[in-house]
Structures are given as C-alpha cells and as structure tokens.
Amino acid sequence: MGFKLLSAIVLASSVLHAARAGLIKRVACADGVHAVTNAACCALFPVIDDIQENLFDGGECGEEVHESLRLTFHDAIGFSKTRGGGGADGSIVTFDDIETAFHANGGIDEIVNAQKPFIARHNSTLTAGDFIQLAGAVGVSNCLGAPRIPFFLGRPPAKAASPDLLVPEPFDTVDTILARFDDAGFTPVEVVWLLISHTIAAADLVDPSIPGTPFDSTPGVFDTQFFVETQLRGTLFPGTGGNQGEVESPLRGEIRLQSDHLLARDSRTSCEWQSFVNNQAKLTNRFAAVMQKLSLLGHDQSTLTDCSDVIPVPRPFTGAAHFPAGLSHQDVEQACATAAFPTLASDPGPATAVPPVPPS
C-alpha cells in the first residue's frame, strides 16, 4: 500500500471515529463530574487524579512525563512474532528484576520504581499493563500541542518477562532497527511515527556526563522541531566509548541519537521524516494512531474496553516550525529525493544553548 493511501486511510478513520463519538450516548459517573461512553471507565478518574497530582507534579510536561512515555514503549515492544513476549502487558514492572537489567532498558528502573506504588494503590482498578499505558497517555496530554492518545482497559496480568534484545538501541543500524520493528508488526513509515515521541524526550544515559539533554530545542512542547533539527548537519561519533549512539548536533545543549540521525537520512524513511516538518496536524494524527497500535501489542482489542474519553484534552499548539538562531536552510542536509525541505524562518539573535530538562 502506498504511503499516500495509507495516510488517507488513517485520516478518514479519525474523522469517522470523531463523527461516531458525537452520536454515542454518554453515561454520567457517580462522582457527578464526569461522563463517559462506558460506565466501567468511571473508575479511572481517581487514578488519573492521583497520577496528575503525585506523579506529574500537578499536570506538568516534565521529566516524569518523558519517562512514562518511554516506559510505554519499552514495555510494549517486548513482543516478537518469532520470539514471543507479551507486549503491552506490564511485564517490565511485574518482572522488573529481570527486564530492567537488559542493556537497552538502562535507566528505566527509575520510572518503574516511581510507578510501582501507584500500580499497587490502584491494583483493584487496573493491571500494571493498563497503568503503564494510561500514565503515558495522561502524561502526554499535559504537553502543549500533543494528541489525545487512545486508551483501552482490561489487559490481563503479565505471565512472564519479555525476552531480551527486543528493544532497539540508538547505535543499531537502520537495517537492524527496521527488522526488529517488522518482527513486531510495524512498517518503516510507522517506525518514523513512533519516533515522534522524541519531540518531548531527553537522554540521561546515552552520554551520562550530560543528563537530561533534550532531543530538540522545545522538549516541553509536542511540536515538529525534532524533525527540523535532526535534519541539520551533524557529526557522527565513532560507535564506541562514552559517545556511543550519539551524534553531535549543531545546537549546543542538544543531543541527537545515531539512530534518529540515520533514519532521517535513509531512503526508506527520509521522506516520511521530512513530511512532519511544520505539519502539526499530521504529527498528532499519526502519533495517536501508532500509539494505539503499540499499546495493543499482545492483545485483542475486542476483549478490551475503550476508555479513550477519560484522557484529558491537550492544549493546542499554534506556533510554526523554525530554524534555531544562527541556522538556516543552508544547514539542512537534504535526504528526501522527491520533495524539497520546507521553507522556514530562522529565529533572530545569536545562537544560544538548549537548557537541560530539569530532574523531577
């Protein structure tokens, strides 16, 4: 199926879903505040209140949100058509003594430990697999410009730990990364969609000497700057030592993963990568779609309850993509062979360093 047809199908599906949502009768919850399409979802509002107040510091788009989104991926991608794994089943929490020791899960133990008390407190309402996906969707909703990520309730408890070596690493080759995702059921285009998550991401352990280093200059905003800035010329470090998996960005204070750098320039993914530049509507639409698919890995959607309407509605982003100060179109390393890089304005003034994401 061609990329244009696939995109059209995703958009049409979203429009149809929205139209149907307006016709579905809503049920008032016992709290007298909320209404949902399925009464079973009412039990989630106290969980969400707890998450927002005590995990996300009153509803901020900060470090715990970044890490909770990362956890949704690291748990769910533990699924393979050839090697097994339960997918988005919470095994990374249930069997954390095994999975947090995997090399690719380095540093994930911090958010696992942060979420475990919440999971224990609400274990009569939802499982660890449910909680991880709920926390990720709620956290993302705190970020300006983010999509409203669908959420489904009812995942059974994890039965076993995920096999090792199912989580891609930043120093993997593009062939290795695409093969791993194909084994989990994702196309190269969908790999790019998943990496939209890096618009609100930062790295602590890729280079431990600079923890909290963001992947773009606006880590608190769900915007398209990540796709602009990864396309600027950068220097690839050798694949060993303290900079393994890292590319030197032209922006001081910003880190670029080797995998992002290479995917932005590979013929299989570069045009889809570039297509997100200054296209906020496509960014949010595709991320919501692919996150739904990720969150359902290992599960039959028909056995779960759609509780998407409990997720808060994010504030819209109305800004435009731009080149950081001191940089312009001449700094773009053109990779897509079929479309020119969009024309963008440059920020005024001298170049400044991107500040690190503060720890929570």
Side-chain angles (χ1 to χ4, degrees), residues 93 96 111-121 131:
V93 168
D96 59 316
I111 190 61
V112 166
N113 290 333
Q115 288 194 9
K116 285 176 76 172
F118 293 86
I119 293 170
R121 189 152 63 239
F131 185 90

Side-chain angles (χ1 to χ4, degrees), residues 76-87 163 166 180 183-184:
I77 203 62
F79 172 85
S80 166
K81 293 182 287 186
T82 57
R83 298 186 57 203
L166 295 185
R180 168 75 274 271
D183 182 41

